[in-house]
Structure formats: structure tokens, C-alpha cells
Amino acid sequence: MAGRRAEAGQGILATLGVLAGLLLLWEAAVLVLAPPPILLPAPSAIVAELADAPRYFLRHAAFTLWTTLAGFALSVVLGVALAVAIVASRWADRVVTTILVVLNSLPKVALAPLFVIWMGTGAEPKVAIAVMLAIFSIVADVALGLRSVDPEAIALARVHRASAWRILWKLRLPNALPALFVGMKVSVSFALVGAIVGEFVGGSSGLGHVILVAQGQFDTVRVFAALVVLGVVGTLLFYAVEFAERLAIPWHVSQR
């Protein structure tokens, strides 16, 4: 355990070192080449922008985070339920899979205006778009995990007269947990993208709104500042899911 912690600490330091090196290289390139600030601001200017209006960025980041988490949570609940239905019924497999494939193939930017018309300009359309983007990976990965149970284990359970519900609860769902967390790592990023897409289309809050307004004012520094905050939020969400994975399935080979 101590060795793993030391290795993780070294990995974090290495990552921070690489990021610091890239930022220094970026700063030096801006100083030497002197591009117009509207094209490429220096990292120091972006940091100054964040320092000048921290509450502004935190307020919009909080809205984006809330809609992202709401869409992500709904996608996990609905995705697991749909995956169970797909595995339990061939009819549901054909119908649900076809509908999900069709919806996943549609560009969400084109659908976003419809959600705004139907739900208004509040948080609801952002959450709906986040669910649409995030749910497919949950369903696909969980369905694969539910189907990957050893057939001999299922046969043994049936010999002992285990019900379909008991087989699902005791065998299939635990076996699907690693696949669920893989899907969650992907879907949490997709949920964030969906929230931003919704903010681009309508609304007056969120980091997507900040980027859209700054772009209209040709305020490149503020655009980069919002992107930095967005990157931090996305990274924290990913590692939060990874931390939950370590707590939930410490027995899995991926956590050893």
C-alpha cells in the first residue's frame, strides 16, 4: 500500500512538472513571438483574468457542475436500468439498442434547440442533453459486464434454484461493476460536454455561456480562462469517479 501511494505521488509530481514546463514554454513563446493577445494570450494574462474575477468564474462553474452531475447521475440510473432490461429480454435488446443507436447518431447541437423550446432556458435542457450524451456508454458497458458472467457460475446458481433476481443481484451486477466504472469515466466527460452544449444554445449561466459571451466580445483571455476552469472541473470529475472505483471494487485486478 505504501509503495502504491509513493508511486501515485510520483505520478502526480511528474504530471505537474510536465504541465509547468508546457506553461513556461507557452509563456516564453508569447514573449518571443509577441502574437496579438486576441489570437493567443500568455498564461500569465489568463491567471490574472481568473484572479480578477474569481467569484464570477466560480458562480458559472458551479452551475455547469450542478447540471453535469445531475445529467451524469440520471444517465447512470437510467443506463443501468436499460442495460438490465437489454440483458433480460431479447425484445428490449432490439428495441432499446436501436433507439439508443439512433439517438447517439444524431448531432446533439442540432437537438439542443428543441430541448430549449420544450423545457425553457433553465437547467432542464442542459441536464437532458447531458443525459443524451452520457447514457450510451453506460448502457453499452454495463450490458457487456452483465453478459460476461461465467456460464458455469450461472448454471450452478440455477442448480441451487436461485431466482433470476438473485442471479442478477449476486452474480451479474457484481461482475458488471468494473464495466460500469469504465462507462462512468467516459460518461462523466460526455455529461460535461452536454451541459456546455446546452449552455451554448440557451441560458444565462454556466461556463458555456461565459465562453459564448466572451467570444462575441473578442475577449480571448476570458475564453481561455473559462476553458481552464472547464478543464479543471472535468479533471476533478474524472478522478472523483476513479476514487469511487477504488473504494467500490478494491478486489478487481485493475486496482491491484
Side-chain angles (χ1 to χ4, degrees), residues 163-226:
S163 63
W165 171 255
R166 193 169 182 81
I167 291 175
L168 172 66
W169 185 251
K170 294 293 185 178
L171 288 178
R172 293 192 184 274
L173 285 178
N175 187 77
L177 281 178
L180 170 62
F181 280 104
V182 171
M184 288 170 64
K185 290 178 184 178
V186 176
S187 67
V188 73
S189 298
F190 282 161
L192 181 58
V193 172
I196 295 298
V197 169
E199 291 166 3
F200 279 160
V201 176
S204 57
S205 298
L207 293 173
H209 173 74
V210 172
I211 294 172
L212 195 64
V213 172
Q215 177 266 330
Q217 298 172 347
F218 293 94
D219 189 350
T220 310
V221 177
R222 177 154 289 192
V223 171
F224 270 93

Side-chain angles (χ1 to χ4, degrees), residues 1-39:
M1 183 64 70
R4 285 191 60 189
R5 290 178 180 176
E7 184 178 352
Q10 292 175 359
I12 293 174
L13 290 176
T15 302
L16 293 176
V18 171
L19 289 177
L22 291 175
L23 290 175
L24 289 175
L25 183 62
W26 180 358
E27 185 79 26
V30 171
L31 289 175
V32 173
L33 301 176
I38 195 174
L39 295 181

